[in-house]
Amino acid sequence: MIISASRRTDIPAFYAEWFANRVREGFVCVRNPMNAHQVSRVSLDPALVDCIVFWTKNPAPMLEHLDAFAAYPYYFQATLTGYGRDVEGNLPDKHEVLLPAMKELAHRIGPERVVWRYDPILFNEKYTPQYHLRAVREIAEELEGCTEKCVISFVDTYQRNRKSIETLGARDDLPSEREFRAFATELADTVRAHGMACASCAERVNLADCGIKHNCCVDRALIERILGCPLDVKKDKTQRPECGCVTSIDVGTYNTCPHGCRYCYANFSPESVERSRAAYDPASPLLCDRLREDDVVTDRKVKRLSSGQATLPFA
């Protein structure tokens, strides 16, 4: 199985201790977001976990816990953008904290296991195409040699983030197709000049002619490269049709990320995040939660997806 940690919240930034404890105990419990009393107990036996995919905007707190995951193959999706606090309200300073943390992470685990995400891209009067291109260039210069790939996406509007997106005066596209493709081409050329491929995340539009390939975040090819052997796994049917990710088990919890990003789809409100975080216990099997008497706990059936026999070169 592949563990996603997590699309629903930033586990490395805020709950690294909790997840390290889960690994030591050998299991994690996950409440079904669609059925509050249904809880899955997921084994974290290294013999069953093919890979852990970490998602984060701040890997710094995770650095002291990496040793807890030594028995597991893993990689990081690390988001770093050019937005200010008007969009990403509670992130640490990017030059003082986030860039150094990403560099340290790459130094410790290798650039092939650190995927830089510059997403989502939104346009408004402040965050113009020129602004984004300048930010991408500056970050790419800093991260040269620390990652092999830059992943981009354009902001999507959901019920949970619609009001915030509208308040920003944001749009996800440029006035003309020509302008949009010129922007995408220059962005791809910029990151390629610093030794990185450029790829898109869950985008309908085909940007191959701009130098941007479709990307998979829970990436079968990357996991096979890390493992050195093939995976028997299918596309994740629970994701959007445009998403190329393969099936994984998410161990996060919605309404628990306090980064305060205006484009976030994983939180109902700042108040809901505050209530959830008040229940955080690093020793609990559930993230920001506890088991209740009326919960139905079921052991999730999981299996190894790889043969464990290296047949593919890591190169």
Side-chain angles (χ1 to χ4, degrees):
M1 67 177 155
I2 299 166
I3 296 292
S4 174
S6 157
R7 279 186 172 97
R8 300 170 180 169
T9 192
D10 195 331
I11 288 176
F14 300 108
Y15 308 112
E17 181 184 6
W18 170 81
F19 198 36
N21 287 340
R22 293 295 87 228
V23 163
R24 294 186 185 99
E25 291 199 38
F27 72 96
V28 61
C29 288
V30 183
R31 191 176 298 282
N32 185 338
M34 307 302 294
N35 185 337
H37 297 295
Q38 187 179 78
V39 176
S40 294
R41 188 180 188 274
V42 181
S43 172
L44 294 176
D45 183 345
L48 295 173
V49 178
D50 295 276
C51 191
I52 301 173
V53 182
F54 290 108
W55 312 66
T56 189
K57 286 183 169 68
N58 178 15
M62 191 70 175
L63 295 174
E64 65 180 282
H65 295 284
L66 287 180
D67 288 348
F69 300 92
Y72 301 88
Y74 62 84
Y75 66 94
F76 278 75
Q77 302 266 351
T79 298
L80 186 59
T81 70
Y83 296 118
R85 296 193 185 278
D86 56 333
V87 177
E88 297 174 336
N90 300 323
L91 284 180
D93 186 272
K94 295 179 180 182
H95 289 283
E96 294 182 5
V97 178
L98 301 183
L99 275 167
M102 285 183 66
K103 292 177 182 180
E104 174 65 17
L105 181 65
H107 173 73
R108 292 181 60 176
I109 71 174
E112 69 281 351
R113 293 202 282 160
V114 179
V115 178
W116 167 35
R117 300 180 65 95
Y118 188 96
D119 79 313
I121 296 172
L122 62 84
F123 301 108
N124 63 13
E125 290 185 0
K126 176 179 180 180
Y127 297 108
T128 63
Q130 292 72 29
Y131 182 104
H132 284 297
L133 290 170
R134 183 170 63 252
V136 166
R137 181 173 61 253
E138 292 176 359
I139 297 171
E141 289 173 355
E142 290 282 348
L143 293 182
E144 184 169 350
C146 297
T147 181
E148 297 179 351
K149 185 189 291 185
C150 173
V151 175
I152 66 165
S153 73
F154 298 91
V155 68
D156 289 310
T157 303
Y158 303 90
Q159 183 176 356
R160 293 184 185 182
N161 68 3
R162 185 180 303 278
K163 185 175 181 180
S164 292
I165 295 295
E166 291 175 350
T167 301
L168 289 169
R171 61 184 189 275
D172 62 355
D173 209 339
L174 293 173
S176 74
E177 179 78 6
R178 182 185 62 80
E179 290 175 285
F180 181 74
R181 291 193 171 273
F183 168 79
T185 298
E186 186 171 350
L187 191 154
D189 289 345
T190 297
V191 300
R192 188 162 50 247
H194 294 282
M196 307 167 198
C198 191
S200 64
C201 174
E203 291 296 325
R204 296 184 183 91
V205 62
N206 187 343
L207 297 174
D209 61 319
C210 303
I212 301 174
K213 297 181 179 180
H214 286 300
N215 180 68
C216 306
C217 301
V218 182
D219 187 346
R220 175 179 183 158
L222 178 56
I223 296 171
E224 289 182 336
R225 181 183 173 197
I226 292 170
L227 294 176
C229 61
L231 288 178
D232 180 13
V233 65
K234 299 183 185 301
K235 182 184 183 302
D236 191 339
K237 295 180 180 179
T238 67
Q239 302 298 324
R240 292 173 291 168
E242 299 82 15
C243 178
C245 290
V246 295
T247 301
S248 63
I249 298 173
D250 201 296
V251 297
T253 302
Y254 290 116
N255 293 306
T256 59
C257 182
H259 280 316
C261 300
R262 300 284 291 277
Y263 48 73
C264 181
Y265 60 83
N267 296 331
F268 288 124
S269 66
E271 292 76 19
S272 65
V273 173
E274 186 176 352
R275 286 194 299 270
S276 296
R277 282 178 54 77
Y280 175 54
D281 177 359
S284 173
L286 285 159
L287 179 58
C288 293
D289 200 353
R290 58 180 177 80
L291 291 173
R292 306 162 193 166
E293 290 184 1
D294 54 352
D295 284 339
V296 177
V297 181
T298 305
D299 286 330
R300 178 140 181 184
K301 294 182 180 179
V302 297
K303 65 177 182 178
R304 187 86 179 181
L305 303 172
S306 63
S307 65
Q309 298 179 353
T311 59
L312 302 174
F314 190 95

